[in-house]
Amino acid sequence: MNERVTAAMHATPDGEAELSLVVRLPWEDVARLGQEAGRLASQMKRPVTLDEAVSHRLRSRPAAAAHAKPTETPAAAPVSTLPRLSGTA
């Protein structure tokens, strides 16, 4: 991976941070973002930019990595199955 990533971040007056970056997307993803912007614009009754649609989508949906395995909580082993330490009762 020899791609260079450049990002700029600064604090905003409302106490949040703004991160600016460049992302390369296939046209299909850009079209989906346009559809998302259209839905958001109809809800908000005003024009919406793709930037605003992306920000809204990131804030309103739980982050889920498509490549990650579902997390499972391991069952606690009963004390009786734990190995005994040598030299103790």
Side-chain angles (χ1 to χ4, degrees):
M1 186 170 176
N2 293 333
E3 295 181 33
R4 188 178 77 211
V5 176
T6 304
M9 183 171 50
H10 68 277
T12 60
D14 59 2
E16 294 186 354
E18 183 174 285
L19 176 67
S20 301
L21 57 110
V22 175
V23 180
R24 294 183 62 154
L25 298 172
W27 283 111
E28 294 83 16
D29 291 342
V30 175
R32 284 189 204 102
L33 288 172
Q35 291 173 343
E36 182 81 17
R39 284 190 291 273
L40 185 59
S42 68
Q43 289 175 359
M44 301 179 86
K45 307 288 188 214
R46 64 174 178 83
V48 175
T49 65
L50 287 181
D51 289 348
E52 191 174 359
V54 170
S55 180
H56 181 265
R57 184 178 181 111
L58 289 172
R59 289 173 185 249
S60 64
R61 301 209 174 144
H67 65 280
K69 294 181 182 178
T71 57
E72 296 178 16
T73 51
V79 174
S80 61
T81 62
L82 296 175
R84 289 193 171 183
L85 298 176
S86 60
T88 60

